[in-house]
Amino acid sequence: MDREYTTHATGAPGDRTPGDTVPGTAHGAPGTSAAAPSRRLSVSLARGVTRATATAFGPYQSAIVRIGFSFTWLLFLLREFPHRAELYGPDGPWSRELAERLIADNHAFTVLMWADGRAWFELVYALAALSSLALLLGWRTRAASVLFMVGVLSLQNRSVFMGDGGDNVIHLMSIYLVLTRCARVWSLDARRERRAGAALARGAAPAPDRLGPALWAVLGLALAVASGAGRLGFGWAVVFWGLWAVQGLWWYTGRRAPHGEPRILLDVVANLAHNAALLVIMAEACLIYSTAGWYKIQGSRWQDGTAVYYPLHLDYFSPWPELSKVLATGGVMVMLITYGTVIAQVAFPFTLLNRRVKNGLLVVMMAEHAAIAVLLGLPFFSLAMIAADAVFLPTSFLRWLGGRVLRGRRALSARLGRTGAGAAVPRQRAEEPAAETHAGSTAGTTA
């Protein structure tokens, strides 16, 4: 392009004298200088698109988010098991008739409205708990994440006034997790893939997966029954049948042509969906903190530094009255906590521009939520927010944490083997630690 520009501007090369300056080739080189930034931008965009389509970013971050939210929801379901009928079932103050009227207006999704009776409610509650456990362990994560979403939406949309801010966060994250590849590490699915890869490396055929197709067929039958009975609206039918079909296509291409173009295309789409969902999770966390901080700034009690004083004197938010009283008597402490909370929430989105500042503020935010859990008696809200904060944790720390947990598990197994009644605990196979290290070394970048 530069050569063509020079020829048209100055004529043939023989018509120029040695002292002539050729536009686009000599001092200043306007043609080259104008083209260089555009070329660098094109190269950067091409590299970014290649990475976004070829890599699922933040495997450790998505895994810790999966573990955090599934653990929080499972713990909540177990904690409220004696009161489940009053919260979401037929004995609750929010009657079925009121729920039907509200759902008719907002078109919220809940399978609890499909049938009336205690047995159906108990089945849905049990499936919600089991899907949370499956997602926590990373067992059949693609199906478990969809069932987890169904359980969360079904219970929360049945009684919309029973939740708090933590339930809203779980509500949103259960939808986002469906689109993520959150079982690449720290899951039973990842262990199964490692073992299959190790078998292929030894020249042996991996064990056939019969449970996956069976689970897919059962879920398809359940979808067919629900669709035939008219229980699914058009939008949700498209979503669930689309997810079911994609999963079947994913299994078929992986079995018939694992390195063929259809499987590569599906892998690209999955990476794009994962990266987009992970970005939305980060944006959601930033939005929660920024809106909370800016709304606090407009409150007079937050402006004069006394906002924290009042909830410490409410019986509902005082599981440890003596501790709350001691903290509330310190005026300077109350003022520092009040202003510090506002500053941290408003500043958090901007700290993402600096990794060290972000990591330091993450420690402060998580410590604040831990204090809220203890002082105000809001453990599930705090756990949900800590799980949302975990998406910003650095990969190096998460890998270190995973290594510590693995070593602790081995030490516990060895101790149980020594103290057992002559029972020997099988040793870890040699390829598992190596595969764990390899998975960490090929992971994506820090969120």
Side-chain angles (χ1 to χ4, degrees):
M1 182 177 67
D2 295 342
R3 184 180 296 110
E4 182 181 358
Y5 172 78
T6 303
T7 302
H8 286 289
T10 62
D15 296 335
R16 297 192 299 268
T17 62
D20 291 338
T21 300
V22 180
T25 60
H27 310 291
T32 304
S33 61
S38 62
R39 289 177 180 173
R40 287 196 295 268
L41 179 60
S42 300
V43 171
S44 299
L45 288 176
R47 290 176 178 173
V49 171
T50 301
R51 291 190 62 195
T53 55
T55 306
F57 294 142
Y60 289 91
Q61 285 77 10
S62 58
I64 197 67
V65 170
R66 164 181 61 84
I67 293 171
F69 280 105
S70 58
F71 174 76
T72 301
W73 183 243
L74 177 61
L75 193 63
F76 173 79
L77 294 178
L78 296 178
R79 167 62 179 83
E80 300 298 339
F81 184 80
H83 315 289
R84 62 192 183 282
E86 289 80 9
L87 288 174
Y88 304 112
D91 299 337
W94 189 250
S95 65
R96 181 182 177 84
E97 291 74 17
L98 292 175
E100 288 177 343
R101 291 173 57 184
L102 181 61
I103 292 172
D105 292 335
N106 60 17
H107 305 287
F109 174 81
T110 172
V111 300
L112 286 177
M113 295 291 102
W114 292 4
D116 194 7
R118 185 64 178 259
W120 177 247
F121 165 73
E122 297 291 352
L123 178 62
V124 173
Y125 198 93
L127 288 177
L130 291 176
S131 63
S132 302
L133 179 61
L135 188 63
L136 174 64
L137 300 176
W139 182 81
R140 307 292 173 178
T141 312
R142 295 183 185 276
S145 62
V146 177
L147 294 176
F148 176 77
M149 178 189 70
V150 170
V152 170
L153 298 184
S154 297
L155 293 176
Q156 291 188 354
N157 289 336
R158 169 61 177 83
S159 301
V160 294
F161 299 109
M162 293 297 177
D164 54 18
D167 294 304
N168 294 335
V169 176
I170 296 175
H171 191 105
L172 294 172
M173 295 302 174
S174 67
I175 300 175
Y176 302 151
L177 282 174
V178 173
L179 301 176
T180 62
R181 308 183 72 174
C182 54
R184 305 294 295 274
V185 296
W186 297 345
S187 68
L188 296 179
D189 290 344
R191 187 182 68 174
R192 187 173 63 253
E193 291 184 5
R194 288 198 305 268
R195 290 179 175 178
L200 290 175
R202 295 193 304 267
D209 183 14
R210 296 185 178 90
L211 183 58
L215 180 61
W216 179 79
V218 170
L219 294 178
L221 179 61
L223 272 178
V225 171
S227 300
R231 299 300 185 182
L232 285 176
F234 176 77
W236 284 107
V238 171
V239 170
F240 289 127
W241 279 114
L243 292 172
W244 183 81
V246 168
Q247 179 59 23
L249 185 61
W250 181 279
W251 178 86
Y252 180 80
T253 56
R255 182 178 179 86
R256 297 297 181 183
H259 303 291
E261 291 184 359
R263 181 54 184 261
I264 294 175
L265 177 60
L266 289 175
D267 206 42
V268 168
V269 174
N271 289 335
L272 285 174
H274 167 89
N275 295 332
L278 199 62
L279 181 62
V280 171
I281 291 175
M282 295 178 184
E284 186 72 37
C286 292
L287 186 62
I288 291 173
Y289 283 123
S290 60
T291 53
W294 287 108
Y295 271 113
K296 286 181 175 65
I297 288 177
Q298 302 175 40
S300 59
R301 294 293 177 262
W302 291 95
Q303 292 175 4
D304 59 25
T306 62
V308 175
Y309 174 84
Y310 298 99
L312 293 175
H313 286 77
L314 296 176
D315 294 336
Y316 185 77
F317 294 107
S318 300
W320 312 97
E322 297 300 327
L323 182 60
S324 299
K325 186 178 299 185
V326 170
L327 183 61
T329 54
V332 176
M333 180 62 67
V334 169
M335 182 186 67
L336 291 177
I337 295 176
T338 302
Y339 287 147
T341 299
V342 175
I343 293 173
Q345 291 181 346
V346 172
F348 180 75
F350 302 100
T351 62
L352 301 181
L353 301 175
N354 188 289
R355 182 177 301 179
R356 293 183 177 179
V357 177
K358 180 261 295 181
N359 293 339
L361 191 57
L362 270 178
V363 175
V364 175
M365 302 291 283
M366 291 183 174
E368 179 186 9
H369 288 304
I372 290 174
V374 175
L375 295 175
L376 301 182
L378 298 173
F380 302 111
F381 166 78
S382 299
L383 285 174
M385 292 309 303
I386 290 175
D389 294 341
V391 73
F392 299 104
L393 290 173
T395 301
S396 57
F397 171 76
L398 292 175
R399 291 178 61 188
W400 172 85
L401 181 63
R404 297 281 294 187
V405 172
L406 182 61
R407 287 192 292 270
R409 187 186 68 180
R410 291 176 180 171
L412 180 61
S413 299
R415 182 174 300 178
L416 291 176
R418 289 194 302 266
T419 58
V425 178
R427 297 182 60 185
Q428 295 284 341
R429 293 196 298 178
E431 65 269 14
E432 290 188 10
E436 186 73 25
T437 304
H438 176 72
S441 62
T442 58
T445 57
T446 305

